[in-house]
Amino acid sequence: MLLAIDVGNTNTVLGVFEGRKLLAHWSLETRARRSADESGTLVRQLFAWSGIDASQVSAVIISSVVPPLQSTLQKMSEAYFKTAPVFVGPGVKTGMPILYDNPRQVGADRIVNAVAAFEKHHAGLIVVDFGTATTFDAVSPKGEYLGGAIGPGIGISMEALFRNASKLPRVEFSRPPHVVGRNTVHAMQSGLVYGFVSMADGMCERMREELGFPAKIIATGEMAPLVAGESKVIQDVDELLMLEGLRIIYGRNYAT
């Protein structure tokens, strides 16, 4: 079995695969100060709760945008799963040419998403990830990573409104009854939901025009289903794209 771990700035998503089949997946808050023992104990408890034998894990692959956690995850994998983890980064074969000015500057999460999306669709793509940041990544019809754009994420935008505007409350990211809000909560929800929908649609249309080839729009991330439901351009939603990408990349490096 393969344990795939996606460490984001806000959340860490884990998935366990048996071959190509995803047996279970979980989401945890990312905590830079969590020790290797805390992490290992928690992950093994998740396995037990799901009825999966953690001793059957023979490999671990990790994508992380939080460098301080690399040592912790290395120790956790070695102590609790008896295997050295593979970190997605320089030296790991992704099977995707990266046409970026400096390929080392591209976040591992963006490449992993792009790999999974291209493997699934085999077409020109724009992948929109609604995470801590909102990222837009372009992939050519040949499967080349071309670059993209980075904007503020939904969660940090909501928190910024609450923290920096003294009269505005925290609100849930959910669709309001009207675009024209008739109270403060609905007005904020309208600005957040339809604002991010408009940003996604507008950015994707601009990128399509500049790319010059047909591009399918794929969305991922926890908030993707709600935004996609209102979007005019998003064609497919895959909340677990990252885990699938990690499985694919592991196979390209350690095919059995």
Side-chain angles (χ1 to χ4, degrees), residues 86-239:
V86 176
F87 287 92
V88 177
V92 172
K93 294 184 291 184
T94 64
M96 176 170 283
I98 302 173
L99 307 185
Y100 212 62
D101 288 345
N102 183 351
R104 291 175 179 269
Q105 291 182 346
V106 187
D109 54 336
R110 300 172 71 187
I111 299 302
V112 175
N113 273 338
V115 166
F118 187 76
E119 180 72 12
K120 182 177 180 180
H121 297 281
H122 292 285
L125 299 165
I126 297 171
V127 183
V128 189
D129 188 350
F130 296 97
T132 304
T134 303
T135 58
F136 301 82
D137 295 296
V139 180
S140 77
K142 296 180 181 179
E144 303 157 317
Y145 178 83
L146 302 176
I150 304 171
I154 293 170
I156 60 176
S157 296
M158 293 168 64
E159 190 65 16
L161 274 177
F162 170 72
R163 288 187 178 278
N164 295 291
S166 58
K167 290 189 176 182
L168 296 182
R170 276 197 175 96
V171 297
E172 180 184 7
F173 188 75
S174 62
R175 183 174 54 201
H178 308 283
V179 177
V180 180
R182 297 189 177 121
N183 57 59
T184 300
V185 170
H186 288 168
M188 292 177 67
Q189 289 175 330
S190 177
L192 289 162
V193 172
Y194 297 115
F196 273 91
V197 169
S198 298
M199 179 178 74
D201 286 3
M203 283 296 297
C204 289
E205 290 289 7
R206 285 177 178 270
M207 289 175 72
R208 270 178 168 167
E209 291 175 9
E210 186 172 288
L211 290 170
F213 55 76
K216 189 167 186 177
I217 314 298
I218 312 301
T220 189
E222 184 180 353
M223 305 294 192
L226 194 156
V227 177
E230 299 296 326
S231 170
K232 296 178 181 178
V233 303
I234 294 172
Q235 297 163 275
D236 187 40
V237 176
D238 189 341
E239 295 176 69

Side-chain angles (χ1 to χ4, degrees), residues 20-113:
R20 297 171 63 93
K21 182 180 180 182
L22 181 62
L23 299 180
H25 60 89
W26 312 278
S27 179
L28 305 171
E29 181 185 7
T30 298
R31 293 185 183 176
R33 299 187 65 180
R34 185 179 281 145
S35 71
D37 288 331
E38 287 176 309
S39 298
T41 300
L42 181 55
V43 174
R44 289 188 70 103
Q45 286 175 343
L46 291 172
F47 271 77
W49 183 81
S50 298
I52 301 172
D53 183 0
S55 68
Q56 296 301 305
V57 171
S58 58
V60 177
I61 184 167
I62 300 169
S63 167
S64 176
V65 296
V66 186
L69 280 174
Q70 182 159 329
S71 174
T72 298
L73 293 170
Q74 175 96 25
K75 293 175 182 176
M76 184 273 290
S77 179
E78 292 173 348
Y80 289 85
F81 295 98
K82 310 303 180 186
T83 184
V86 176
F87 287 92
V88 177
V92 172
K93 294 184 291 184
T94 64
M96 176 170 283
I98 302 173
L99 307 185
Y100 212 62
D101 288 345
N102 183 351
R104 291 175 179 269
Q105 291 182 346
V106 187
D109 54 336
R110 300 172 71 187
I111 299 302
V112 175
N113 273 338

Side-chain angles (χ1 to χ4, degrees), residues 3-16:
L3 174 60
I5 305 176
D6 165 35
V7 183
N9 287 295
T10 305
N11 294 315
T12 295
V13 179
L14 306 93
V16 58

